[in-house]
């Protein structure tokens, strides 16, 4: 049990009516303890049924569990409590997108784009939805690189978060560039529900470059150039970057490995140019 979970658990035990159940449930969710996170959050909402943060957390837990309909319903409750809630609009848009409900997805994502700060996950998903809808109405297959022609929100042309926006070819692909300490320099790591979790992922990956270098040298394999592996939810590819940094690309599990490597190469080229321009 982490120190945060222990501290929050003790606080909730002292005051069962406290709203600390939300940060506790979130900490448990991040640790992968979904059933316990669900139990803590559900009990908290029994005491605070109109607390929007609790319903938002319950929706994100449902997404992690693959229960998209429950996630949608919880975010719908959040919207009833807080009209225009950015997280709820974004989440409902992504659920509809994953379920193929494109008109509804466009409606929610458009509202999210208008309600929140510039968000790469929302902007790119919205562009993909619009391209898919146009292709469906025209009776043609959507262009693989539809997002390259997408109109991103105003003011994003020089925003580092959108560095790879015209390189990736699918809304389920995401990429980010880290420095030697795991801090995000550019790009984003968009979760299943559209949240940008780049900072969290970057913190977990700090030191990967040094570890990979030591391992390849120990095995007399020379300098490492890239690595591709499959998780339960995605295919992840990594490559070293300038100054002991790290380039990370994530795609759906159905993406062919050849395409994954090509995308990683394209992102690496973009990174080199961008880093060179900053020098």
């Amino acid at each position: 049990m982490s120190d945060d979970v222990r501290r929050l658990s003790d606080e909730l035990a002292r005051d069962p009516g406290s709203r600390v159940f939300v940060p506790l449930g979130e900490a448990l969710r991040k640790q992968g303890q979904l059933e316990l996170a669900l139990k803590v959050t559900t009990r908290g909402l029994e005491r605070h049924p109109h607390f929007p943060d609790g319903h938002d957390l319950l929706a994100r837990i449902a997404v992690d569990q693959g229960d998209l309909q429950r996630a949608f319903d919880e975010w719908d409750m959040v919207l009833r409590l807080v009209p225009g809630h950015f997280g709820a609009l974004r989440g409902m848009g992504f659920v509809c997108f994953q379920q193929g409900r494109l008109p509804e997805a466009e409606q929610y994502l458009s509202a999210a784009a208008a309600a929140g700060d510039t968000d790469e996950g929302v902007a790119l998903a919205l562009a993909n939805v619009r391209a898919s809808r146009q292709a469906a109405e025209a009776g043609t297959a959507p262009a693989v690189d539809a997002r390259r022609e997408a109109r991103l929100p105003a003011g994003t042309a020089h925003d580092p978060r959108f560095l790879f926006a015209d390189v990736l070819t699918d809304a389920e692909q995401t990429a980010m560039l880290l420095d030697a300490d795991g801090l995000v320099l550019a790009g984003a790591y968009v979760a299943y529900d559209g949240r940008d979790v780049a900072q969290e992922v970057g913190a977990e990956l700090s030191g990967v470059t040094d570890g990979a270098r030591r391992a390849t040298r120990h095995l007399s394999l020379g300098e490492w150039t890239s690595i591709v592996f499959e998780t339960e939810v995605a295919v992840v590819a990594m490559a070293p970057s300038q100054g002991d940094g790290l380039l990370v690309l994530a795609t759906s599990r159905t993406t062919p490995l050849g395409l994954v490597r090509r995308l990683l190469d394209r992102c690496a080229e973009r990174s080199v140019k961008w880093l060179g321009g900053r020098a």
Side-chain angles (χ1 to χ4, degrees):
M1 181 183 294
S2 71
D3 291 340
D4 283 344
V5 169
R6 183 178 293 106
R7 175 179 57 80
L8 293 169
S9 297
D10 290 344
E11 186 174 340
L12 187 61
R14 289 193 298 270
D15 181 9
S18 170
R19 292 186 174 183
V20 76
F21 74 90
V22 171
L24 174 58
E26 177 66 10
L28 291 168
R29 187 189 71 83
K30 289 181 177 179
Q31 291 182 3
Q33 300 185 57
L34 299 182
E35 289 300 328
L36 186 53
L38 177 63
K39 183 176 181 180
V40 167
T41 307
T42 301
R43 286 184 174 177
L45 283 171
E46 289 175 356
R47 293 178 176 270
H48 304 280
H50 302 298
F51 188 34
D53 289 355
H55 289 284
D56 180 56
L57 173 57
L58 200 57
R60 288 184 281 114
I61 294 172
V63 167
D64 291 342
Q65 293 180 321
D67 190 347
L68 296 185
Q69 189 54 54
R70 181 172 187 180
F72 185 91
D73 292 341
E74 290 298 330
W75 274 316
D76 183 58
M77 175 61 75
V78 174
L79 274 188
R80 293 174 186 273
L81 296 170
V82 185
H85 188 282
F86 173 69
L89 290 168
R90 176 184 59 191
M92 294 169 79
F94 270 79
V95 168
C96 291
F97 178 57
Q98 293 294 329
Q99 294 177 334
R101 296 154 54 189
L102 299 183
E104 294 173 78
E106 182 174 0
Q107 173 188 344
Y108 289 119
L109 291 172
S110 295
D117 294 332
T118 300
D119 184 287
E120 182 176 15
V122 170
L124 297 182
L126 180 57
N128 195 274
V129 166
R130 286 172 173 167
S132 297
R133 288 197 68 187
Q134 291 173 1
E137 292 170 359
T140 60
V144 173
D145 207 9
R147 296 194 311 179
R148 193 178 301 277
E149 304 300 326
R151 294 178 58 190
L152 295 176
T156 62
H158 303 290
D159 189 331
R161 290 177 297 176
F162 291 83
L163 180 63
F164 307 109
D166 62 346
V167 175
L168 305 178
T169 60
D170 187 276
E172 294 187 4
Q173 298 165 1
T174 189
M176 64 179 180
L177 181 64
L178 307 175
D179 69 7
D181 297 318
L183 297 177
V184 180
L185 297 175
Y189 197 103
V190 183
Y192 188 74
D193 62 353
R195 292 176 298 112
D196 184 357
V197 294
Q199 298 293 348
E200 300 169 24
V201 174
E204 294 294 330
L205 294 178
S206 60
V208 165
T209 299
D210 285 340
R213 183 181 295 115
R214 288 195 300 269
T216 53
R217 288 178 177 175
H218 178 73
L219 297 172
S220 300
L221 297 176
E223 293 295 328
W224 81 289
T225 57
S226 67
I227 183 173
V228 179
F229 58 93
E230 185 175 315
T231 72
E232 293 183 358
V233 297
V235 172
V236 180
M238 300 181 187
S241 183
Q242 179 178 316
D244 288 335
L246 185 69
L247 175 64
V248 182
L249 166 73
T251 75
S252 69
R253 294 181 62 184
T254 59
T255 306
L257 290 182
L259 177 57
V260 173
R261 294 188 181 279
R262 290 196 296 275
L263 289 171
L264 186 65
D265 289 342
R266 293 173 191 169
C267 289
E269 293 174 1
R270 176 59 58 84
S271 299
V272 170
K273 292 180 181 179
W274 184 74
L275 289 169
R278 298 175 71 219

